[in-house]
Amino acid sequence: MQKQYEKFLETKQDNLKLSLALQGYLTEEALSFAEREAYRAYLKKRIRPAVSALLEQGEAEKIVILEKEGFFGRKELDEFLKMAQEKGQYAAWIRLLKMKQEKYGFPQEELSL
């Protein structure tokens, strides 16, 4: 895991850095506080591309983890629902919609036909 973190710190390639940050932060392996915070700070600034990458990988549950850890709120969730629909990731769209219902509910005007 240390080599991955070193590569994360050294690389200037945005896509590689994002991939390493997602992989590192969402791993079940033990991370040092510094590693976890570095990944967290990077992902917090790049949450939209991070969620886009997770959608393309079909990793809706990892998006749920990021939301539970405070990476984004209702406004961003609405954007991610639209993004999932545009990408044709309907399983992820349903999971995100369920998360929206559980966390925020739906105003009455959203339910009208």
Side-chain angles (χ1 to χ4, degrees):
M1 193 52 77
Q2 187 64 30
K3 285 186 180 187
Q4 178 181 327
Y5 181 64
E6 289 171 9
K7 193 171 187 177
F8 166 77
L9 292 175
E10 294 169 359
T11 188
K12 301 294 183 212
Q13 298 176 27
D14 287 337
N15 287 341
L16 178 58
K17 193 169 194 101
L18 181 64
S19 176
L20 291 168
L22 282 168
Q23 186 178 15
Y25 188 82
L26 295 170
T27 187
E28 293 183 11
E29 294 181 30
L31 298 175
S32 73
F33 181 78
E35 290 172 338
R36 188 156 184 81
E37 286 305 305
Y39 291 141
R40 181 179 182 76
Y42 182 80
L43 291 172
K44 197 99 162 130
K45 292 181 205 171
R46 309 237 334 125
I47 193 63
R48 285 170 182 78
V51 170
S52 179
L54 291 172
L55 284 171
E56 289 171 9
Q57 297 166 13
E59 298 280 3
E61 290 307 315
K62 290 182 178 178
I63 298 170
V64 172
I65 292 168
L66 293 176
E67 190 278 333
K68 287 181 180 177
E69 294 191 14
F71 279 84
F72 60 90
R74 184 179 188 154
K75 178 183 169 201
E76 294 85 5
L77 179 56
D78 288 338
E79 291 176 33
F80 301 151
L81 279 162
K82 184 176 181 180
M83 190 185 298
Q85 187 176 18
E86 289 169 354
K87 291 180 180 290
Q89 294 291 334
Y90 298 110
W93 182 79
I94 290 169
R95 181 62 186 101
L96 295 175
L97 195 61
K98 183 179 176 186
M99 180 174 53
K100 180 178 178 178
Q101 179 185 15
E102 291 169 355
K103 184 143 186 166
Y104 304 107
F106 294 103
Q108 199 65 335
E109 64 270 9
E110 286 187 43
L111 298 176
S112 63
L113 295 175

